[in-house]
Amino acid sequence: MQEDVIIVTPIKYPLLGDRVQSTFIDTILIIVSMFIISAILERYDNVPDWVRIALFVSIWLAYDPLCTSLGCTLGNYVKGLRVRQHNNPTRKINIVLAIFRYVVKISLGWVSFLTINTNHEKRAIHDFVAGSVVIKI
């Protein structure tokens, strides 16, 4: 009688350095995007300040949650990281959780990363709050 063998690959969790580098890459991308938008807006006369502010704020607020819920940010892609549901690491988090996670992440700043080295899943405070986990692929 032949038995089926299921091989389970253990989940790998990124180190603090990987997550900091990913965040750095994303920050550089956002800053470059702001310069590009600024250069485009310079071609037009009398662009109201509120338009500039709205575009810049939109980039900062939309980039991380949107990319995270759709797959990954550029920084996560480069570093091989993915944000997933804690209770099912094969599934992405939805946009609502991604927004909530990001709000906590930017509210706490670097303080949110203090818990990464205190748990085996390397979860930051914003991961605990949103029910997410970052895995390394």
Side-chain angles (χ1 to χ4, degrees):
M1 203 169 154
Q2 184 180 14
E3 293 182 32
D4 291 333
V5 177
I6 299 173
I7 299 173
V8 178
T9 305
I11 297 172
K12 294 184 268 182
Y13 303 103
L15 300 174
L16 176 61
D18 293 324
R19 292 185 66 169
V20 169
Q21 290 171 3
S22 172
T23 300
F24 181 76
I25 291 167
D26 291 333
T27 302
I28 296 299
L29 177 66
I30 289 170
I31 291 170
V32 168
S33 298
M34 290 174 70
F35 277 115
I36 291 170
I37 289 172
S38 182
I40 292 169
L41 292 177
E42 288 297 321
R43 295 179 178 207
Y44 299 97
D45 294 331
N46 303 323
V47 175
D49 288 341
W50 70 267
V51 171
R52 293 176 188 277
I53 293 168
L55 286 171
F56 293 157
V57 169
S58 296
I59 291 171
W60 280 104
L61 295 180
Y63 171 74
D64 188 286
L66 189 60
C67 291
T68 297
S69 66
L70 293 175
C72 63
T73 65
L74 178 64
N76 288 347
Y77 179 80
V78 169
K79 295 303 295 178
L81 310 180
R82 299 297 183 271
V83 178
R84 297 293 186 245
Q85 295 177 9
H86 179 251
N87 60 355
N88 186 355
T90 62
R91 296 190 54 147
K92 301 174 209 166
I93 63 173
N94 63 42
I95 187 70
V96 174
L97 285 178
I99 291 169
F100 184 60
R101 179 180 182 273
Y102 186 63
V103 167
V104 173
K105 181 178 176 180
I106 61 173
S107 296
L108 294 176
W110 293 105
V111 170
S112 189
F113 288 115
L114 290 177
T115 59
I116 287 179
N117 290 323
T118 64
N119 61 87
H120 77 279
E121 294 173 323
K122 307 295 186 201
R123 293 173 75 194
I125 295 170
H126 54 270
D127 293 317
F128 282 109
V129 171
S132 63
V133 65
V134 178
I135 62 172
K136 190 159 180 78
I137 58 170

